[in-house]
């Protein structure tokens, strides 16, 4: 990546993309960071959770500045195209340039948040840059539970100012984020033989756009689970339909792009189902022709197998038809400019021999409405007979109207680019929410280069914005207040 600018940042990004770092399996990248610090004689510590902090002294002439924390997460979402052979625990990410965009070959790129990690490493590796004292923090398992931020002790970081490098739109400076809760519903059952004279079919859908369930939820992108549920609900209303298998979605924080369902219908109804499928697929193609123009539909016969009990099958389909999905409320706070306030995303359905599990995520920057949204989803699943578990969630990060760092960041942007940045909140969750609880009074902002289709195999990084964000970061660091 030597031809990409800034070369020192892309050099670090190329190196870390050789290192497997799935969420909850960051051991190799942790070892790499520890050795990176040791090789450069920098102080490094790792906490019990696995977060890594590397200190770098101020450059000459900047010793009086307050310590700045730079923070990114070391893990990445691991998603790939269904027909791509790739082992995220062993294989390096393979990247390529298409015009001004950097992509990966059939997998997630890892720029979320590898490009933030790369910027921190480039700063640590350089001796010709101007900055005050730095604490470069790399948290683990942000994507599947914010484990690193949750486990961090209150004395791990000492700086007063924190720049989070986990945002995805250059020119936007984030000053607040949503809180979130995950809801898991489990339907237990004992399989049984299908009724006599049944015909088994597999309905499959792929090629959806997908995306981040926070940042992209307002874009009206199709959810593969909800679409398949719509079809099965309509057919169930007309005939004795029995579910056998349902597998769709992989990550709790992504809009599902594909899915497969195996079900049985009376033999004399098979042609009616085929006609209904053709009509339904045509209607949905039209419904999502702007956001999801590349849907691929298939309906075919398949081998007979055991099925879920009738009551489980019926209630499961009813629950997926009924459960909220998408935007629930828009903020009325003028300073946040129409930000999505509250949403829910049905993220995955996975069936096994004796159970089928639905995972969904709820988000809001109003904590009372977050609980309301989570309880709404929980209630639907409880009515259907599921056992429902919810995690403790993570808090929202509320805007600080008196932030010195926001002013410094905005002023630096205007000096560099002669235009106003957009100061806003983000509907996705950031670790800043937890930091605001653990470190009261810490002053934070979040910004980063432009990424598109994160959490999907289409994830890509807009190369010119990396130089812009790098220049912006360096300008901010030179203007941090004195101690």
């Amino acid at each position: 990546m030597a031809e990409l600018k800034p070369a020192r940042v892309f050099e670090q990004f190329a190196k870390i993309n050789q290192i497997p770092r799935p969420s909850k399996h960051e051991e190799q990248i942790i070892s790499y960071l520890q050795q990176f610090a040791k090789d450069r004689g920098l102080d490094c510590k790792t906490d019990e959770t696995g977060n890594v902090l590397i200190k770098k002294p101020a450059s000459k002439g900047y010793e009086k500045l307050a310590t700045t924390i730079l923070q990114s997460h070391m893990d990445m979402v691991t998603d790939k195209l269904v027909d791509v052979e790739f082992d995220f625990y062993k294989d390096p990410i393979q990247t390529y340039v298409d015009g001004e965009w950097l992509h990966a070959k059939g997998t997630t790129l890892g720029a979320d948040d590898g490009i933030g990690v790369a910027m921190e490493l480039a700063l640590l590796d350089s001796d010709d840059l101007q900055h005050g004292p730095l604490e470069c923090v790399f948290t683990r398992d942000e994507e599947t539970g914010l484990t690193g931020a949750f486990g961090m002790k209150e004395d791990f970081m000492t700086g007063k100012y924190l720049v989070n490098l986990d945002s995805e739109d250059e020119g936007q400076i984030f000053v607040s984020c949503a809180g979130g809760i995950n809801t898991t519903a489990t339907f237990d059952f004992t399989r049984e033989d299908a009724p006599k004279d049944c015909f088994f079919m597999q309905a499959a859908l792929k090629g959806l756009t997908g995306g981040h369930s926070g940042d992209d939820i307002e874009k009206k992108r199709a959810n593969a689970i909800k679409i398949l549920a719509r079809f099965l609900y309509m057919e169930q209303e007309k005939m004795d339909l029995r579910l056998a298998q349902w597998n769709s979605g992989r990550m709790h924080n992504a809009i599902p792009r594909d899915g497969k369902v195996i079900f049985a219908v009376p033999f004399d109804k098979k042609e009616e189902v085929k006609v209904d499928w053709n009509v339904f697929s045509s209607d949905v193609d039209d419904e999502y022709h702007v956001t999801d123009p590349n849907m691929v539909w298939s309906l075919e016969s398949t081998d007979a197998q055991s099925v879920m009990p009738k009551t489980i099958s019926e209630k499961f389909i009813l629950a997926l038809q009924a459960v909220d999905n998408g935007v629930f409320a828009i903020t009325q706070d003028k300073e946040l400019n129409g930000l999505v306030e509250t949403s829910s995303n049905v993220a995955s359905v996975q069936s096994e021999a004796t159970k089928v599990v639905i995972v969904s995520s709820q988000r809001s920057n109003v904590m009372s409405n977050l609980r309301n949204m989570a309880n709404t989803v929980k209630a639907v699943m409880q009515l259907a007979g599921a056992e429902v578990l919810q995690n403790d969630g993570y808090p929202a990060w509320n805007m600080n109207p008196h932030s010195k760092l926001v002013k410094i960041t905005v002023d630096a942007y205007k000096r560099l680019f002669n235009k106003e940045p957009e100061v806003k909140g983000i509907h996705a969750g950031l670790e800043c929410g937890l930091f605001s609880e653990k470190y009261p009074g810490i002053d934070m902002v979040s910004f980063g280069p432009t990424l598109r289709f994160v959490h999907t195999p289409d994830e890509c990084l807009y190369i010119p914005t990396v130089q812009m964000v790098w220049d912006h970061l360096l300008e901010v660091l030179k203007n941090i207040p004195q101690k």
Side-chain angles (χ1 to χ4, degrees), residues 68 177 402:
T68 303
C177 73
H402 307 294

Side-chain angles (χ1 to χ4, degrees), residues 153-173:
K153 298 294 193 295
E154 286 78 0
D155 60 351
F156 187 67
M157 305 186 298
T158 65
K160 180 178 179 181
Y161 301 97
L162 184 148
V163 178
N164 169 277
L165 296 168
D166 187 24
S167 296
E168 297 159 9
D169 282 283
E170 190 284 322
Q172 296 181 347
I173 298 169

Side-chain angles (χ1 to χ4, degrees), residues 250-270:
R250 284 167 285 278
M251 303 299 299
H252 79 280
N253 50 9
I255 300 169
R257 298 161 45 94
D258 52 60
K260 292 181 180 180
V261 180
I262 295 175
F263 60 96
V265 295
F267 193 87
D268 62 357
K269 296 290 187 179
K270 65 175 183 175

Side-chain angles (χ1 to χ4, degrees), residues 58 62-69 131-134 158-161 477 479-483:
Y62 291 82
E63 296 87 352
K64 294 183 179 181
L65 300 191
T67 298
T68 303
I69 303 163
H131 55 78
L134 298 178
T158 65
K160 180 178 179 181
Y161 301 97
L477 292 177
N479 288 278
I480 294 296
Q482 294 190 1
K483 299 175 185 177

Side-chain angles (χ1 to χ4, degrees), residues 3 52 174 183 227 273 307 313 395:
E3 73 280 7
V52 177
F174 293 97
T183 301
I227 288 177
V273 173
V307 296
S313 180

